[in-house]
Amino acid sequence: MSGPGKWWRRKSTPAKVETYTRWSFHSFAAAEVTVFALPVLGQVPLPYAVWLCLLTCVHAAFGAVVASRALDWTRGRRAQPLPLMSAFGATSALFAGIVLWLADRDLGGEDTATALGTMTAGLLFFGVGMITLGVRSRRRVLGLVLGFSAGVGLLALALGAGMAALVASLAALFGTGFFAMTSVFSVWLLNAVYELDEARETRARLAVAEERLRFGRDLHDVIGRNLAVVALKSELAVQLARRGREEAVEQMLEVQRIAMESQREVRDVVRGYREADLGVELLGAQGVLKAAGIDCEVTGEAAGLPAEVQSALGWVVREATTNVLRHGDAARCSVGLEMSEGTVVLTVENDGAETVAGGGGGSTGGGGSGLAGLRERLRAVDGTLEAGPAGKGTFRVVARVPVAGEPVAPGIPAEDGPAAAEPVTAEREAAA
């Protein structure tokens, strides 16, 4: 996919919401010209119609600039545009007053008065709405709405509108209030989306930090005491050796035994840390993807597969899910697990091909460091990995691992099944 579609898909979800919000307010400029300026050309006598149309176009363009600067301030990219907002507010009030004054001069019939009254309302509505984007205090927003509404009523009363001034003031109150609340809600929604995205990233970092702490505690518990014993016995062996005592050899043999035992225990800790349960990973991937707004379908059962096969495939599910969340912008993801001629096949497919491939997904031959690590894990169980585009807008990861015999039934312990008869080689143990 190329062009605008690719540009849009590469954006993060908060960036998409910001773009949508920004261009929604930019479109208000076009709406102001279309709804309030163009009808004047056919309902107001010349040359007033031309000047009023140009006046509305200038006001709409000015409002678009104010909205852009105000949204930049909302996201912390620039200072609050108070001078620009003040100038726009004064311009809106001035233009609305001019149009209302022209409406009072009776330039034409009832249609002319209606068109000019509608234009006055549009100038005020859009003016207050754009200014509100740059105001954070709710009291100031309320003051802005009440001030413009009261100004309309006072100006209409000064022009001799009588009771119609009250109607105009109430209409301005409801109209400007609606546009002001629309702007306030839009800013709130935009900030909420960014805050939720930051909270999700913070939660992921905390989960990683917690896992590192757990791993550090496990290593400390395993080797801390043994290292202290090794240090003491080594010091004792030195003292005995200096005295020419034969017990020094026994102490060093004990040091050797403790060191080998510590090595074995560390290997067990690392193996347990690196192993992944396939069933848990499948459920976790489905939950995480659905929480991220991605429709995820999981098919197949992991029960009965050998532990080393489940561990290797579990890492494939974990890495593929991470790539979809981190690099892609998929709307759908499917995870399938099936047996085919003595081989278990895991397929992870999503519709975020462009960004996933660009983020390290790579092709079958290349790939990023994540795929290289998966290939090493699968190689330890004689498995293979294929990853790359699979049609228009689709990215697919396929892992194949041969299984000796049929998988163990879910109700039968693993040690009683055929897969348990396959010995774990030293190479596989080292790779784990």
Side-chain angles (χ1 to χ4, degrees), residues 308-332:
E308 63 271 18
V309 174
Q310 289 204 37
S311 177
L313 294 180
W315 276 98
V316 175
V317 174
R318 183 181 299 180
E319 181 69 21
T321 303
T322 302
N323 283 339
V324 172
L325 292 173
R326 181 181 302 169
H327 306 302
D329 190 22
R332 178 193 59 82

Side-chain angles (χ1 to χ4, degrees), residues 132 135-145 180-181 183-185 187-188 191:
T132 305
V135 179
R136 186 165 294 173
S137 172
R138 300 295 183 265
R139 291 184 178 180
R140 293 182 179 179
V141 173
L142 180 60
L144 186 67
V145 171
M181 290 305 300
S183 299
V184 170
F185 177 76
V187 171
W188 173 84
N191 291 332

Side-chain angles (χ1 to χ4, degrees), residues 2 42 118 132 140 159 187 195 224 250 263 289-290 295 321 345 379 399 402 417 420:
S2 59
T118 305
T132 305
R140 293 182 179 179
L159 294 174
V187 171
E195 289 174 2
E250 296 178 0
Q263 184 182 21
L289 291 175
K290 285 188 175 181
D295 185 21
T321 303
V345 181
R379 194 178 300 119

Side-chain angles (χ1 to χ4, degrees), residues 359-363 366-373 375:
S363 60
S369 59
L371 294 182
R375 289 191 174 93

Side-chain angles (χ1 to χ4, degrees), residues 43 106-114:
Q43 297 174 345
D106 193 17
L107 299 178
E110 185 177 349
D111 292 340
T112 300
T114 301

Side-chain angles (χ1 to χ4, degrees), residues 269-283:
V269 171
V270 174
R271 183 185 299 112
Y273 176 75
R274 295 178 64 186
E275 285 181 352
D277 183 83
L278 181 56
V280 173
E281 294 298 332
L282 290 173
L283 292 176

Side-chain angles (χ1 to χ4, degrees), residues 162 260 416:
M260 294 178 64
D416 296 334

